[in-house]
C-alpha cells in the first residue's frame, strides 16, 4: 500500500499541470477577458452572454486608423489607456511567458492577486474557506449519520410499510433542489410568512467576538442550521438508497446464509459481515460527494443565505473574468480533489483489508 500511495502522490503533479494547462489556454482563447470587461465598463456597454462586446457607444465618429482590432470594445479609446490596461492585467507579455510564470508561481503556492479586489488570492481563499468547510463538513456528517442507518433499516425491512413511506420521503427529497428547500426554510423559520427563529444572513453575528465561548458556539450553530439542513436533505436521499441497495445485494449472497446457518445473531451478521462489503460502494462516492458539497453544491445556498464561500467566489470570478481567482480556485480544488480520491482508496483498505491496490495494479 505504501508503494501505491507514493505512486499516486507522484502523479498529482503531472495531473495538476495537465488540468491547469488545458483550462489556461481555453480561458485565454475565450472572448470577453478582463481588458474587454474594463473597456465595456468605460464605454457604458454590457457584455452579451459573456462572449462578445457590443459596438462602440461613442456618439462622435472615430477615424478608422484610431480603432483597435484586438478588443471589440476599444473603438474611440486612447491606445495608451488600452496599453496601460494590458500591462495592469499582465497581457503585455506573450501567452507562453504568462503560462510558464503561472506554473512557477503555483509551484511555490503563489496564486497572484485579484484583478478587481486588489487582494492576494490566498487571502481570499482563506477568508472564504471557513464558510465552505462549515457547510460541507456539517452536511456530510448529517447525511452519513442519517443515510447509513436509514439505508440499513430499509434493507432489513424491505417491502414493509416503513420502507414504502421512507422511500416516498426520499424521492421527494431527491427530486427537490436544495435551494428550494432553503427558500422553504426561510419562509417557515427565518422571518418569512410564519416563524422568525433563525437569522437570514452570515455565518456569525456582528457581536460574535464579544460573546463567551458557549455563546460563540451557540451563535455559530444558530446561523448554520438552515443552510446545513438545505444541503443535507437532498444528499442523504441519494445516499440512503445507495446504502439500501448495497445491503440488499450483500444479503442475497451465499456467505450471509452460511453465517446465519452457523447460528450467528442478526446484528453480528449485518454489522460483522454485510456492513464491510456493502460500505465499499458508499465509501467510493465519498470524495466526489465531499468535493461537490464543499466547492460547487453550496453555491445557490450561499447566495440565498448571504454566505460568502468558495463556490460563490469562483462563480463571481468567472463572471468578471478575474483570472487569478479562477485559476487559483481551480488549482486548489483540483489538488484537494486528488488528495481526497487518494484518501478514498486508503479508506477502502481500512473498510476491507482484503483489497490490495498494489496487487491489482500488478
Amino acid at each position: 500500500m505504501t508503494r501505491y500511495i507514493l505512486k499516486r502522490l507522484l502523479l498529482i503533479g503531472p495531473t495538476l499541470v495537465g488540468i491547469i494547462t488545458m483550462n489556461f489556454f481555453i480561458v485565454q482563447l475565450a472572448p470577453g477577458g478582463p481588458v474587454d470587461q474594463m473597456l465595456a465598463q468605460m464605454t457604458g456597454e454590457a457584455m452579451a452572454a459573456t462572449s462578445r462586446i457590443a459596438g462602440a457607444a461613442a456618439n462622435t465618429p472615430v477615424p478608422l486608423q484610431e480603432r483597435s482590432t484586438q478588443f471589440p470594445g476599444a473603438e474611440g479609446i486612447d491606445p495608451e489607456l488600452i496599453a496601460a490596461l494590458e500591462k495592469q492585467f499582465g497581457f503585455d507579455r506573450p501567452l507562453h511567458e504568462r503560462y510558464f510564470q503561472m506554473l512557477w508561481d503555483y509551484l511555490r503556492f503563489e496564486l497572484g492577486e485579484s484583478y478587481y479586489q486588489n487582494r492576494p488570492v490566498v487571502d481570499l481563499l482563506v477568508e472564504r474557506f471557513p464558510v465552505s468547510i462549515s457547510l460541507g463538513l456539517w452536511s456530510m456528517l448529517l447525511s452519513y449519520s442519517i443515510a447509513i442507518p436509514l439505508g440499513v433499516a430499509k434493507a432489513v425491512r424491505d417491502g414493509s410499510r416503513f420502507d414504502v413511506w421512507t422511500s416516498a420521503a426520499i424521492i421527494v427529497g431527491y427530486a427537490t433542489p436544495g435551494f428550494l428547500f432553503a427558500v422553504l426554510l426561510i419562509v417557515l423559520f427565518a422571518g418569512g410568512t410564519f416563524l422568525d427563529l433563525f437569522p437570514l444572513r452570515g455565518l456569525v453575528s456582528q457581536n460574535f467576538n464579544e460573546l463567551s465561548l458557549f455563546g460563540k458556539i451557540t451563535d455559530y450553530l444558530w446561523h448554520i442550521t438552515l443552510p446545513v439542513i438545505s444541503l443535507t436533505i437532498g444528499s442523504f436521499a441519494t445516499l440512503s438508497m445507495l446504502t439500501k441497495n448495497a445491503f440488499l445485494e450483500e444479503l442475497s449472497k451465499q456467505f450471509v446464509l452460511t453465517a446465519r446457518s452457523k447460528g450467528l445473531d442478526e446484528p453480528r451478521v449485518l454489522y460483522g459481515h454485510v456492513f464491510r462489503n456493502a460500505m465499499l460502494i458508499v465509501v467510493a462516492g465519498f470524495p466526489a460527494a465531499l468535493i461537490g458539497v464543499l466547492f460547487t453544491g453550496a453555491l445557490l445556498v450561499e447566495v440565498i443565505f448571504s454566505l460568502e464561500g468558495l463556490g460563490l467566489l469562483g462563480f463571481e470570478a468567472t463572471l468578471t473574468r478575474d483570472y487569478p481567482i479562477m485559476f487559483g480556485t481551480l488549482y486548489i480544488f483540483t489538488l484537494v480533489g486528488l488528495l481526497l480520491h487518494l484518501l478514498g482508496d486508503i479508506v477502502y483498505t481500512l473498510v476491507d483489508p482484503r483489497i490490495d491496490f498494489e496487487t491489482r495494479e500488478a
Side-chain angles (χ1 to χ4, degrees):
M1 188 64 183
T2 302
R3 187 177 65 179
Y4 173 77
I5 294 175
L6 290 176
K7 183 177 180 180
R8 288 287 299 273
L9 290 175
L10 291 175
L11 286 174
I12 287 178
T15 305
L16 273 174
V17 172
I19 293 175
I20 291 295
T21 300
M22 181 180 64
N23 284 274
F24 176 83
F25 287 103
I26 290 176
V27 170
Q28 296 294 331
L29 294 174
V35 176
D36 292 322
Q37 295 274 353
M38 189 63 68
L39 291 174
Q41 294 179 14
M42 295 172 61
T43 57
E45 298 173 32
M47 295 292 293
T50 67
S51 62
R52 64 181 179 83
I53 303 294
N59 294 324
T60 56
V62 180
L64 182 62
Q65 63 270 20
E66 295 184 9
R67 296 183 180 179
S68 171
T69 59
Q70 182 178 2
F71 302 104
E75 290 88 345
I77 302 296
D78 188 354
E80 294 184 358
L81 178 58
I82 297 177
L85 289 175
E86 291 179 332
K87 185 176 182 179
Q88 176 185 347
F89 295 120
F91 288 90
D92 58 329
R93 297 180 297 170
L95 181 63
H96 69 278
E97 184 178 332
R98 285 184 278 132
Y99 166 70
F100 286 111
Q101 182 63 48
M102 183 187 68
L103 290 184
W104 173 243
D105 290 340
Y106 282 7
L107 184 63
R108 299 173 294 161
F109 279 90
E110 294 182 5
L111 305 184
E113 186 172 293
S114 169
Y115 286 157
Y116 305 108
Q117 302 188 43
N118 296 321
R119 295 180 58 192
V121 175
V122 173
D123 292 348
L124 292 171
L125 293 176
V126 171
E127 182 180 288
R128 301 291 186 96
F129 190 73
V131 175
S132 294
I133 200 68
S134 294
L135 293 175
L137 290 183
W138 278 113
S139 61
M140 289 295 293
L141 177 63
L142 284 178
S143 296
Y144 275 78
S145 299
I146 296 172
I148 293 178
L150 180 60
V152 174
K154 287 174 63 61
V156 174
R157 305 175 187 176
D158 184 39
S160 65
R161 182 175 298 181
F162 170 81
D163 182 40
V164 173
W165 282 105
T166 53
S167 294
I170 286 173
I171 291 174
V172 173
Y174 178 78
T176 307
F179 72 89
L180 191 58
F181 275 115
V183 174
L184 177 62
L185 291 174
I186 289 175
V187 171
L188 294 177
F189 303 111
T193 307
F194 298 94
L195 304 176
D196 188 6
L197 301 177
F198 295 95
L200 268 176
R201 58 187 304 117
L203 193 62
V204 294
S205 300
Q206 294 182 352
N207 63 337
F208 180 77
N209 293 328
E210 303 173 2
L211 301 176
S212 62
L213 178 59
F214 178 77
K216 289 181 178 179
I217 295 175
T218 304
D219 182 76
Y220 167 75
L221 295 176
W222 182 47
H223 281 77
I224 207 70
T225 297
L226 295 187
V228 168
I229 291 175
S230 304
L231 290 173
T232 302
I233 289 176
S235 59
F236 96 85
T238 305
L239 189 58
S240 297
M241 297 305 298
L242 185 65
T243 304
K244 175 193 173 182
N245 293 334
F247 261 80
L248 285 176
E249 182 179 355
E250 294 298 322
L251 286 172
S252 63
K253 292 184 177 180
Q254 184 64 39
F255 76 91
V256 176
L257 298 177
T258 303
R260 287 171 175 169
S261 65
K262 290 182 178 180
L264 297 180
D265 55 7
E266 197 65 17
R268 188 173 179 182
V269 172
L270 287 176
Y271 297 102
H273 297 272
V274 177
F275 184 82
R276 183 176 61 182
N277 295 331
M279 283 299 99
L280 290 177
I281 191 172
V282 177
V283 172
F286 177 79
L290 184 57
I291 295 171
V293 173
L294 282 178
F295 303 130
T296 58
L299 173 60
L300 292 176
V301 174
E302 288 177 7
V303 173
I304 292 172
F305 289 99
S306 301
L307 299 172
E308 297 184 348
L310 293 176
L312 185 59
L313 177 66
F315 177 72
E316 292 174 343
T318 303
L319 292 181
T320 59
R321 298 297 197 274
D322 198 335
Y323 289 167
I325 295 181
M326 289 175 61
F327 294 128
T329 53
L330 174 67
Y331 176 73
I332 296 300
F333 292 176
T334 304
L335 178 60
V336 172
L338 292 172
L339 292 175
L340 285 176
H341 279 291
L342 175 59
L343 178 62
D345 290 342
I346 295 174
V347 175
Y348 260 142
T349 61
L350 296 177
V351 174
D352 191 348
R354 296 173 298 176
I355 295 178
D356 189 348
F357 288 101
E358 294 182 0
T359 302
R360 187 184 66 178
E361 287 187 337

